[in-house]
Amino acid sequence: MFIEQGVKKENPFWKYIIGSVFIIIASTIGQIPFGIALLVKSMETGTMPTDSAGMLSVLDSNLSLFLMMLSFVFALLGVFIVIKYLHKQTILEVTTSRNKIDWSRVFFAFGLWAIFTISSVLVTYYLNLQEMVWNFKPIPFAILVVIAVILIPIQTSTEEFVFRGYLMQGFANLSKNKWCPLLLTSAIFGTMHIFNPEIDKLGTIVLIYYIGTGLFLGIITLMDEGMELALGFHAANNLVTALLVTSDWSALQTNSIFKDVSNPSAGLEIIIPVFVIFPLLLLLFGKRYKWTDWKEKLTGAIKYKTTINELNND
């Protein structure tokens, strides 16, 4: 089973603390180019932005996106190094319980959520012509496509490897059950977004959406015994949104097709995905992939595998 693949006596929880620090350091190194570019630009203009939205608007949006995403390249490399050399695991063990990555699952989740997101944006555009405006500029958009298609899947995959893979198995080592890793990784994933610009604009109530999204991604990972669905969903969510719509207060300010110029408020946009759409997706995935024994897979106890041979014999 997926979560048990990292639960071994040779992988005590203190290793995950060390590994997490290493990943954070790797990510921080990757942020240095963005910091330098921001400092140089601020010196040229004579002003230094004090909030996250201001920092994102100082540089050209395509350059800003590229530099932001660069840190995730370093972080993902850090994850792979920690998994291989500190925990003596394969990347596959932290990705799925299957013999190889099931790309059909990745593409199904990606396609499903991409279609839903595109449809939602188009409906919003035609119903709110005063609040969603046409923002398409061919050359900047073409550059955006190249940057986004290459780097945003790296960003989302990094987050999935950290939260639904590495830390999920790490907290399982600590708690010896499944519900604790599910809740902890969801809470940490959600609160990690507290520095996003939309928190300043909408308030901390938006964390309900982020924590709810983390919980949804954790559930589909545990129920499906692998991260494939989470990888596809997360990539579609960030990539399609970055290409389709932007705003002056969003975490990703891009040369997208549309721009949201409305005065945002936290309401149904928070409630409907978490309490309506995500449960419906769970039912759909569950039926398609014949998920059973929900209680055991989400809350069951975990025992150590004392040796690698014992793990393989199961």
Side-chain angles (χ1 to χ4, degrees), residues 72 84 118 155 229:
F72 290 96
K84 181 176 181 180
I118 292 170
Q155 176 241 327
L229 295 177

Side-chain angles (χ1 to χ4, degrees), residues 22-24 26-28 30 70-80 158 162:
F22 183 86
I23 294 167
I24 292 171
S27 176
T28 303
L70 193 60
S71 68
F72 290 96
V73 176
F74 282 78
L76 186 59
L77 179 60
V79 172
F80 289 167
T158 301
V162 169

Side-chain angles (χ1 to χ4, degrees), residues 196-203 206 249-250 262-266:
N196 282 16
E198 54 263 36
I199 300 296
D200 296 332
K201 190 73 173 180
L202 302 175
V206 182
W249 45 268
S250 59
S262 66
N263 186 22
S265 61

Side-chain angles (χ1 to χ4, degrees), residues 1-4 164 168 172 175-186 214-226 282-283 286 291-302:
M1 296 176 69
F2 171 71
I3 195 170
E4 286 89 345
R164 258 62 65 179
M168 185 81 82
S175 66
K176 312 301 189 299
N177 61 47
K178 299 173 184 176
W179 62 265
C180 186
L182 174 60
L183 295 181
L184 283 176
T185 55
S186 302
L215 186 62
F216 166 71
L217 294 169
I219 290 173
I220 63 177
T221 296
L222 290 179
M223 290 305 304
D224 201 49
E225 299 291 358
L282 288 176
L283 293 176
W291 293 346
T292 59
D293 204 4
W294 289 64
K295 182 178 179 180
E296 170 61 27
K297 288 185 177 180
L298 298 180
T299 66
I302 296 174

Side-chain angles (χ1 to χ4, degrees), residues 20-37:
S20 297
V21 171
F22 183 86
I23 294 167
I24 292 171
I25 292 173
S27 176
T28 303
I29 293 172
Q31 294 171 21
I32 292 175
F34 181 80
I36 293 174

